Amino acid sequence: MPVLLTYFCYGASAITSVALVFFEKDALGLTPAEVAEIGFWLGLPWGMKMVVGAASDHYPILGSRRVAYLLLGAICSLVGYAAMATVVQTKGAFLLTMLAVTVGFMIQDVVADALSVEVAENDEDLGQIQALGRMALLIGSISVGYLGGWLAGQIGARGVFAIAMALPLIVAVSIALIPRSDRPSAKIASENAPDSRRPLVIIVTGLGYALLGVLLQIFDVPYAQEIVLVVSGILIAFLLKTLGISRSVGVAAVVIFLFRSTPTVGQGYQYWAIDRLGFDQQFLGLLSQVSSVLSLIGLLVFRKTIVERPVSFTLFWVIVAGTLLYLPSIGLFYGVNEWLGLSPRMFAFIDTTISAPLGQLTMVPILVLIAKSAKPGAEATTFAIMASLMNLALSASELFTRYLNDFFSVTQQDYSNLGKLMITVGATGLLPLLALPLLKRQEAAVNG
């Protein structure tokens, strides 16, 4: 229950998604490129999961390996939401408070990931637990989908942020349900490790990486994001080597990194839909609701298949289907809905209905792959380092998104190049297919 409640609350944080769009657009006046820039920095805490994972495994707080860290994460998110609801008025303050929220959810996620491994008795249980975790996350999103949009229209963004403060409180209450762990202790894990200093190396390396990002941002160093991305990639690769993952897991990690690092359109599309098509908070909330419901249905229908089939199989058809189902969004910009006699809202609703089930399908095999490489007594560390690499890919995606938005000069004053941007994004989404043969050969070698 603590695992599922933590995932549920993270999914329910989607209650702020519509409010954030209007807050960034109207209250802060951010351009799509600036939103992508902020998204890059907000992605970095997820690359810090190995620090929290190693600390949770090997450095208990007041004797607690899980409870204390879960409480710490809840406090961070609570403070961030409270600031968003009251004092945030500038881009810098917005970044800092969103970082607090993000760090809080990241810590909670690390603990939930570790607990999910600890309660599984075998790989099949693990796969089912991860699938249930994704379902809990989606149910959280479903429960607030339309509500978040409706509230944003009724009480404004700050009111929604105030309501979101309830989510970390729920996580804090769930702490009472966590039993004492009977998994190997940190001492046993350290004795079994080739180098007992490994946890300290991981923590120091991760904190050094975080400090580098802060200093580069404070002193406004040119190409700060590019430097952080390269350095963090090298550090995570070093930590993975130190951890001793298998070649098959390493190859799969690289391919999945390429898949998750492809750029997106960014906020420009939603800005355009709001300004040109008149999409309001309630309608965007409805689209979010439909997307979450259909993602859950897709996960229920294909759960067994994606757990049993190779990762390369799932990635292949998700990439191809995702690209094909992206075409209606491009068509909406160019007025294809008018040729078909459909209103923009109806066309967008149909598009969301068709494409939404793909949303969560790739996450289950990724999570199972990561969890299988976890070693007894170091579940949080292993899971966190692998997950850090996956989340670093999302930061790379935000960076590439910023590049494209700057290149095509998409702003609230000029959406003329948005269509070209969308076509470029759709084409780049196919690039990970080039790496799938490598993953497939590695999977065949392991199975053989």
Side-chain angles (χ1 to χ4, degrees):
M1 285 304 298
V3 172
L4 298 183
L5 279 175
T6 300
Y7 288 141
F8 172 86
C9 288
Y10 181 46
S13 67
I15 193 173
T16 65
S17 59
V18 174
L20 281 171
V21 173
F22 283 85
F23 191 72
E24 292 164 347
K25 179 180 180 294
D26 298 329
L28 300 179
L30 301 178
T31 67
E34 287 176 323
V35 173
E37 179 185 0
I38 290 175
F40 173 88
W41 293 113
L42 294 182
L44 292 183
W46 293 100
M48 291 288 297
K49 292 181 73 172
M50 66 280 202
V51 174
V52 179
S56 178
D57 278 334
H58 299 275
Y59 298 99
I61 298 177
L62 300 177
S64 171
R65 297 174 61 216
R66 307 300 184 217
V67 170
Y69 286 94
L70 195 59
L71 182 60
L72 176 62
I75 291 173
C76 288
S77 294
L78 181 65
V79 170
Y81 278 136
M84 289 285 292
T86 53
V87 299
V88 173
Q89 294 181 342
T90 65
K91 174 183 174 182
F94 176 68
L95 174 59
L96 289 176
T97 52
M98 284 301 294
L99 278 172
V101 172
T102 304
V103 168
F105 278 121
M106 178 270 289
I107 296 173
Q108 296 168 54
D109 190 63
V110 169
V111 177
D113 289 342
L115 289 173
S116 70
V117 178
E118 290 178 351
V119 299
E121 297 182 358
N122 51 56
D123 288 347
E124 182 178 354
D125 282 352
L126 185 57
Q128 296 302 321
I129 291 171
Q130 290 299 332
L132 287 172
R134 303 315 296 178
M135 290 180 192
L137 188 150
L138 286 171
I139 291 172
S141 298
I142 291 169
S143 67
V144 299
Y146 179 76
L147 178 64
W150 182 81
L151 287 173
Q154 297 296 314
I155 62 177
R158 293 192 188 276
V160 175
F161 299 144
I163 292 175
M165 293 170 61
L167 299 175
L169 294 178
I170 293 175
V171 173
V173 170
S174 75
I175 288 174
L177 301 174
I178 299 179
R180 290 182 177 274
S181 174
D182 60 354
R183 302 287 288 186
S185 67
K187 180 180 179 181
I188 295 175
S190 297
E191 290 173 352
N192 292 335
D195 185 355
S196 60
R197 297 172 298 176
R198 180 180 296 168
L200 183 60
V201 170
I202 292 173
I203 292 175
V204 172
T205 301
L207 291 177
Y209 147 72
L211 180 62
L212 173 65
V214 170
L215 293 177
L216 290 174
Q217 181 71 355
I218 290 177
F219 293 103
D220 197 20
V221 177
Y223 302 106
Q225 293 183 349
E226 291 81 354
I227 294 172
V228 168
L229 186 66
V230 172
V231 171
S232 56
I234 293 173
L235 291 178
I236 291 176
F238 165 74
L239 292 175
L240 288 174
K241 183 178 180 180
T242 301
L243 197 62
I245 62 168
S246 66
R247 176 180 174 82
S248 60
V249 173
V251 171
V254 171
V255 174
I256 295 171
F257 180 92
L258 295 175
F259 169 72
R260 288 167 66 87
S261 64
T262 54
T264 66
V265 174
Q267 284 294 48
Y269 180 75
Q270 286 191 303
Y271 283 8
W272 170 78
I274 293 169
D275 291 338
R276 299 292 188 266
L277 303 181
F279 289 5
D280 56 16
Q281 292 96 326
Q282 288 85 348
F283 183 68
L284 291 177
L286 175 62
L287 292 182
S288 175
Q289 182 86 51
V290 171
S291 178
S292 296
V293 170
L294 293 177
S295 293
L296 176 58
I297 293 174
L299 189 57
L300 286 171
V301 172
F302 297 106
R303 180 184 62 178
K304 186 174 182 180
T305 300
I306 58 181
V307 169
E308 295 177 350
R309 298 301 295 269
V311 176
S312 59
F313 171 83
T314 302
L315 288 182
F316 173 78
W317 67 262
V318 167
I319 291 171
V320 173
T323 301
L324 292 175
L325 296 177
Y326 182 60
L327 295 178
S329 296
I330 299 175
L332 183 59
F333 178 81
Y334 286 105
V336 171
N337 60 293
E338 297 176 2
W339 305 345
L340 299 175
L342 298 173
S343 69
R345 292 195 176 200
M346 179 58 70
F347 197 81
F349 184 84
I350 294 173
D351 177 32
T352 299
T353 301
I354 295 173
S355 60
L358 292 176
Q360 294 289 329
L361 295 186
T362 58
M363 285 305 301
V364 173
I366 290 173
L367 292 172
V368 172
L369 174 69
I370 294 173
K372 283 183 178 180
S373 64
K375 299 179 179 180
E379 296 90 354
T381 304
T382 305
F383 210 113
I385 294 177
M386 287 292 292
S388 295
L389 182 64
M390 299 301 100
N391 289 296
L392 181 63
L394 296 182
S395 291
S397 175
E398 293 288 355
L399 181 60
F400 299 146
T401 299
R402 195 202 80 197
Y403 285 162
L404 291 177
N405 274 270
D406 283 337
F407 180 79
F408 287 103
S409 301
V410 175
T411 66
Q412 293 188 56
Q413 292 73 40
D414 184 8
Y415 297 112
S416 58
N417 288 327
L418 179 60
K420 297 177 182 177
L421 169 61
M422 296 174 73
I423 293 172
T424 302
V425 168
T428 56
L430 292 171
L431 292 179
L433 289 176
L434 300 176
L436 287 186
L438 177 63
L439 176 58
K440 192 172 182 179
R441 284 197 299 270
Q442 192 64 42
E443 289 173 339
V446 173
N447 294 330

